[in-house]
Amino acid sequence: MTIQDIYKAVVDFDDEAVPGLIEKEIKAGTDAKKILDEGLIAAMDYVGKLFSEGELFVPEMLMAATAMKAGLNILKPQLAKSGGATIGVVVIGTVKGDLHDIGKNLVGMMLEGGGFEVYDLGADVEPAKFVAAAKEKKANIVGLSALLTTTMPYMEDTVNALKEAGLTSKVIIGGAPVTAAYAEKIGAAGYSDDAPGAVELARSLVK
Ligand code: B1M
C-alpha cells in the first residue's frame, strides 16, 4: 500500500476507498502533508488537467472532488497537528441575487484539493457578508462566482466593499458571463473560466 493507491483512488472517483487508504497510510507513519501533496493534491491537479484538455467533464470532476473531500476529512486533524497545512485561506461564494452554485461548489472543492483552507458562504451572498468573513478568516483570497449578467454588478460592489473595509484579500472571479476584461474593469485580482484555472490563479496570488 502506497500514496500512489490514494492518488489512484481519487483519479478513479472511489470516495469509499480513499478514507480507509489514508487511515492506513497515517498508521504506517507517513507524514500527513506528504499524503496531502502526493496523494490528494497531485490527483486533483491531474483530474484538473484532464478537464482542461476536454478528457473529463463536470460530473467526473465533481466525483473526483467528492473522493478528495472524503480523504481530506480524515487527514484534516493530522494536518492541524503537524501545522502548515494550508497554502492560503479562501472565502468563496456566489454573489447577491444569484442562486447558481454548481460551478462555485466545484471551484471551492478544487481549491480545497489544491491545498487551500476554504470557507464557502453559499449562494446569494451580500457584499457585507463577504467582508465579514474575509475579516474573520483573514482570507488571502475572496472568490466570487456569478452566472447571471444581472448579478455581475454585485461583484464590483463586493470588490469595493472589501476595499472600503481596508481589507487586502485578493479577489478572484468567475462564472459563465464573466470575462478577464470585466475582472480588470472592476479591480479584481484575476479571473478564471474554469475550476483548475482558479486553483492555478489562487496559487499564483499567494506566492
Ligand atoms: Co439558470 N441561468 N437561471 N438555473 N442556469 C443560466 C446561467 C442561463 C445561461 C441559462 C440560459 O438562459 N441559457 C441563464 C443566464 C442568462 C444570463 O444572465 N445571461 C439563466 C437564467 C436566466 C436563470 C433564471 C433567471 C431563470 C428564471 O428563473 N427565469 C434563474 C435565476 C435564479 C437566480 O439565480 N436568482 C435560474 C435558475 C437556475 C436553477 C436554480 C434552475 C439552476 C441552478 C441550480 C444550482 O446552481 N444549484 C440553473 C442552472 C442549472 C443553469 C444552467 C443550465 C447551468 C449552470 C451550471 O451549473 N453549469 C445555466 C446554463 C448554462 O450555463 N449552460 C443557467 C455548470 C457549472 C459547472 O458551470 O457555473 O459556469 P459554471 O462554472 C464553471 C465556470 O464558469 C467557472 O468554473 C466552473 C467549473 O469549471 N466558475 C468559476 C464558476 N464560478 C467561478 C468562480 C471562480 C472561478 C471560476 O473564481 C472564484
Side-chain angles (χ1 to χ4, degrees):
M1 220 259 324
T2 65
I3 290 181
Q4 273 306 306
D5 294 326
I6 297 167
Y7 177 102
K8 189 172 177 304
V10 173
V11 170
D12 289 344
F13 323 129
D14 194 344
D15 60 323
E16 287 183 11
V18 173
L21 289 170
I22 289 188
E23 269 165 5
K24 278 186 197 157
E25 203 59 43
I26 292 168
K27 273 194 192 132
T30 309
D31 178 50
K33 184 76 168 64
K34 190 174 161 75
I35 302 174
L36 177 72
D37 289 343
E38 295 174 24
L40 299 182
I41 294 179
M44 287 309 288
D45 281 348
Y46 178 64
V47 168
K49 181 174 163 283
L50 294 183
F51 176 78
S52 300
E53 290 168 354
E55 297 284 324
L56 286 185
F57 298 95
V58 168
E60 286 125 331
M61 282 262 282
L62 283 170
M63 287 192 285
T66 302
M68 177 275 299
K69 270 200 126 168
L72 205 55
N73 287 339
I74 306 292
L75 209 50
K76 263 183 186 164
Q78 303 297 323
L79 288 167
K81 270 188 227 159
S82 57
T86 65
I87 55 173
V89 176
V90 180
V91 162
I92 193 168
T94 305
V95 296
K96 185 179 167 186
D98 201 321
L99 301 176
H100 298 85
D101 67 357
I102 298 167
K104 180 268 299 169
N105 291 346
L106 189 50
V107 172
M109 287 194 278
M110 288 292 289
L111 284 167
E112 204 165 11
F116 288 88
E117 186 177 336
V118 176
Y119 295 93
D120 187 340
L121 305 184
D124 188 15
V125 182
E126 298 266 352
K129 206 172 161 193
F130 280 110
V131 171
K135 202 182 268 179
E136 188 197 329
K137 304 298 180 192
K138 298 187 174 54
N140 305 93
I141 289 171
V142 174
L144 307 178
S145 181
L147 264 285
L148 298 171
T149 44
T150 51
T151 58
M152 279 169 65
Y154 291 115
M155 292 181 144
E156 185 168 15
D157 291 354
T158 307
V159 168
N160 291 336
L162 288 161
K163 279 189 195 144
E164 276 159 25
L167 297 178
T168 55
S169 317
K170 291 173 177 157
V171 179
I172 64 171
I173 65 172
V178 179
T179 60
Y182 183 70
E184 199 176 331
K185 177 174 169 277
I186 68 171
Y191 152 83
S192 168
D193 64 355
D194 65 15
V199 178
E200 252 178 64
L201 174 63
R203 282 177 178 161
S204 73
L205 292 173
V206 295
K207 261 187 192 156

